[in-house]
């Protein structure tokens, strides 16, 4: 039965549960490291000095606050009163992931760790982590499937330029899932001097909470900006959902504002049968993946499904436990749009506003026509533009202008 979140019910609880979701489903050997992280983070999240240092990095290095941009021509084209774009695409390195990377690398330094490890699929989290490590002068190793290394060569070079070591993972399907397993294996053996930097609101407690807190700056700014600009709260928030960090970062500071509708948009890929999409909350069932109990895409036997999406950043069979909780409590609604619709969303923003969005963010844009049907006349909508699309130009060329090279 759906339950209502009351202000008194802060999530997660002390064991890292968001209702039934979350927790720590990890080998015994990792428990010590997680406990240490929980203890340190519980202290640091209230430490004024840490908060100040983090804020200085966000403002003085990453480029915060990001603007809340009124997209007038886009609004007109869609028949929506006013759409505002939260411009995370304007951040250093081109997406919201730098918020979390700076937070975690700063935390690792405070813990006295000498080395950071991360896993990456599309390479975006790897680049953000390598960037933060270069800035703070700390060793960085990024685990990446060899299959992904070939597909995302540009990001491999970006990491190497930042002085990071990219470790090729040759096990299993040689993609993100195997890179995760390899990173955990490394962490277990080097835990006393190594911090494992996870890139979204996923993984065992305290990661979903910690990454959410680091990304919540998106929603904190947006909430202040929209009130200053319009004198009221928005009708709806829209964000794409891969692991769920940019969406949770925007949603979280609005969670008590019950009149504000929250929409998470997942990747519908090339069809809604298992294996053809990455719409985890729309189509998945509860289960354990990468250290947490959440919703995931799995077959009848409980085997984790393969996923598909035109955007590498959304191509993941799991999702953060707090999103599973928001869906369960009906605080947020989750929908999906197809590859084709996302490509159209990308073109629409380019042509109406002169802004090239990441293919991930394009999924959120592609949901707007559907949302427009049920919005009241004077509706204000905030859409999280999680990243810029320069990284996707090759994909866009192949998808939209396939004959150009002939
Ligand atoms: C990685 C990425 C995403 C998906 O990750 P979340 O944790 O769901 O935010 C979305 N947009 C961009 C631009 C990304 O790089």
């Amino acid at each position: 039965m759906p339950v209502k979140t009351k202000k008194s019910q802060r999530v997660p609880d002390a064991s890292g549960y968001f209702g039934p979701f979350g927790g720590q489903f990890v080998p015994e050997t990792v428990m010590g490291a997680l406990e240490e992280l929980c203890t340190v983070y519980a202290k640091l999240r209230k430490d004024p000095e840490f908060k100040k240092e983090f804020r200085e990095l966000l403002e003085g290095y990453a480029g915060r606050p990001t603007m809340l941009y009124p997209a007038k021509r886009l609004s007109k084209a869609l028949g929506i009163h006013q759409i505002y774009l939260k411009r995370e695409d304007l951040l250093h390195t081109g997406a919201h992931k730098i918020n979390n990377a700076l937070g975690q690398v700063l935390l690792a330094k405070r813990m006295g760790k000498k080395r950071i490890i991360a896993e990456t699929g599309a390479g975006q989290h790897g680049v953000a982590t390598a960037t933060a490590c270069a800035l703070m002068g700390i060793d960085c190793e990024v685990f990446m499937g060899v299959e992904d290394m070939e597909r995302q060569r540009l990001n491999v070079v970006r990491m190497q330029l930042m002085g990071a070591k990219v470790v090729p993972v040759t096990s299993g399907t040689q993609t993100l899932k195997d890179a995760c397993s390899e990173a955990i294996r490394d962490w277990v053996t080097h835990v006393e001097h190594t911090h494992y930097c996870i890139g979204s609101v996923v993984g065992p407690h305290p990661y979903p909470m910690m990454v959410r807190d680091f990304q919540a700056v998106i929603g904190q700014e947006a909430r202040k900006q929209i009130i200053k600009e319009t004198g009221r709260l928005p009708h709806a928030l829209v964000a794409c959902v891969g692991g769920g960090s940019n969406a949770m970062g925007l949603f979280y500071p609005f969670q008590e504002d019950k009149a504000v509708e929250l929409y998470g948009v997942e990747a519908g890929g090339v069809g809604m049968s298992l294996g053809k999409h990455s719409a985890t909350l729309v189509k998945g069932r509860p289960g354990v993946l990468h250290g947490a109990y959440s919703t995931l895409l799995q077959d009848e036997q409980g085997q984790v499904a393969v996923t598909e999406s035109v955007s590498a950043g959304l191509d993941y069979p799991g999702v953060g436990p707090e999103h599973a909780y928001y869906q369960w409590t009906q605080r947020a609604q989750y929908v999906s749009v197809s590859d084709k619709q996302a490509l159209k969303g990308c073109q629409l923003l380019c042509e109406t506003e002169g802004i090239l969005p990441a293919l991930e963010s394009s999924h959120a844009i592609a949901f707007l026509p559907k949302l427009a049907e049920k919005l009241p006349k004077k509706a204000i909508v905030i859409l999280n533009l999680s990243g810029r699309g320069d990284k996707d130009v090759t994909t866009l060329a192949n998808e939209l202008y396939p004959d150009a090279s002939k």
Side-chain angles (χ1 to χ4, degrees):
M1 213 181 43
V3 295
K4 288 245 160 69
T5 327
K6 284 196 227 84
K7 196 157 193 150
S8 53
Q9 293 179 300
R10 284 273 151 171
V11 286
D13 66 16
S15 319
Y17 278 90
F18 305 84
F21 304 106
Q24 296 174 317
F25 293 80
V26 292
E28 198 53 46
T29 40
V30 183
M31 282 309 288
L34 286 178
E35 268 162 37
E36 184 199 7
L37 190 58
C38 282
T39 311
V40 173
Y41 183 62
K43 262 195 224 133
L44 285 185
R45 71 190 299 219
K46 293 189 222 131
D47 179 346
E49 195 56 37
F50 179 79
K51 288 204 277 197
K52 180 165 164 275
E53 259 184 86
F54 182 43
R55 196 175 53 243
E56 283 169 359
L57 286 170
L58 291 176
E59 291 173 5
Y61 182 75
R64 304 210 71 91
T66 58
M67 64 169 102
L68 188 70
Y69 166 77
K72 296 210 178 76
R73 279 183 23 92
L74 176 70
S75 305
K76 189 147 180 258
L78 291 167
I80 293 175
H81 177 61
Q82 188 62 73
I83 301 162
Y84 286 86
L85 304 176
K86 184 59 176 158
R87 298 289 308 272
E88 296 301 292
D89 62 314
L90 295 178
L91 286 174
H92 180 47
T93 66
H96 68 291
K97 284 196 175 76
I98 192 74
N99 299 325
N100 169 53
L102 289 170
Q104 283 199 50
V105 176
L106 183 64
L107 176 110
K109 271 204 103 161
R110 281 296 202 92
M111 291 172 83
K113 305 284 178 183
K114 302 268 175 283
R115 174 174 173 262
I116 302 275
I117 56 166
E119 86 293 320
T120 197
Q124 294 299 108
H125 172 55
V127 169
T129 307
T131 301
C133 287
L135 175 71
M136 290 183 241
I138 189 164
D139 289 346
C140 178
E141 282 181 40
V142 181
F143 293 85
M144 194 169 186
V146 288
E147 175 85 27
D148 287 334
M149 283 179 73
E150 270 161 41
R151 287 190 292 201
Q152 312 286 342
R153 198 170 135 61
L154 209 68
N155 277 337
V156 173
V157 177
R158 282 173 83 188
M159 288 183 259
Q160 289 167 335
L161 283 167
M162 299 293 151
K165 185 175 162 204
V166 182
V167 185
V169 175
T170 51
S171 54
T173 54
Q174 313 190 333
T175 58
L176 178 63
K177 200 155 57 73
D178 313 291
C180 285
S181 313
E182 213 50 54
I184 290 178
R185 245 193 299 278
D186 181 290
W187 198 33
V188 171
T189 38
H190 301 103
V191 69
E192 68 294 338
H193 67 279
T194 296
H195 172 70
Y196 178 20
C197 182
I198 292 184
S200 190
V201 287
V202 299
H205 180 64
Y207 284 100
M209 170 180 76
M210 194 169 74
V211 178
R212 173 198 74 192
D213 293 349
F214 291 145
Q215 292 290 2
V217 65
I218 301 172
Q220 286 155 3
E221 284 175 10
R223 198 172 182 285
K224 273 193 212 130
Q225 288 167 320
I226 198 74
I227 291 172
K228 184 157 179 243
E229 184 86 10
T230 69
R232 56 188 174 115
L233 287 170
H235 196 88
L237 307 180
V238 183
C240 65
V241 176
S245 69
N246 87 88
M248 194 49 71
L250 177 66
F251 293 174
Y252 185 64
F254 290 88
Q255 66 147 344
E256 312 284 358
D257 304 312
K258 292 294 148 65
V260 180
E261 293 174 0
L262 312 177
Y263 293 94
V265 186
E266 298 189 313
V270 294
M272 288 318 277
S273 56
L274 199 66
K276 298 289 183 204
H277 62 86
S278 314
T280 307
L281 288 158
V282 172
K283 285 288 190 179
R285 285 183 291 120
V288 170
L289 179 67
H290 297 144
Y293 181 70
S294 185
T295 301
L296 61 114
L297 290 169
Q298 51 191 317
D299 65 17
E300 306 274 280
Q301 280 76 45
Q303 288 295 318
V304 177
V306 290
T307 53
E308 187 162 337
S309 171
V310 69
S311 78
L314 302 183
D315 204 350
Y316 178 65
V319 69
E322 195 161 13
H323 283 291
Y325 175 71
Y326 274 22
Q327 185 185 43
W328 182 67
T329 58
Q330 299 182 2
R331 179 63 193 92
Q333 293 177 57
Y334 297 89
V335 296
S336 67
V337 306
S338 67
D339 282 358
K340 274 215 174 81
Q341 290 171 306
L343 290 164
K344 281 212 179 105
C346 179
Q347 286 177 295
L348 178 65
L349 190 67
C350 287
E351 288 166 15
T352 55
E353 299 289 346
I355 296 170
L356 171 59
L359 279 173
E360 290 84 2
S361 327
S362 300
H363 283 73
I365 299 159
F367 171 63
L368 291 174
K370 193 89 183 276
L371 179 66
E373 292 168 16
K374 52 183 175 179
L375 285 174
K377 256 203 154 81
K378 291 280 175 188
I380 293 170
V381 174
I382 299 178
L383 182 139
N384 204 15
L385 204 65
S386 55
R388 65 175 185 230
D390 304 46
K391 69 181 177 60
D392 297 317
V393 168
T394 310
T395 308
L396 287 164
N398 293 336
E399 295 286 339
L400 299 172
Y401 312 108
D403 301 324
S405 56
K406 282 180 201 153

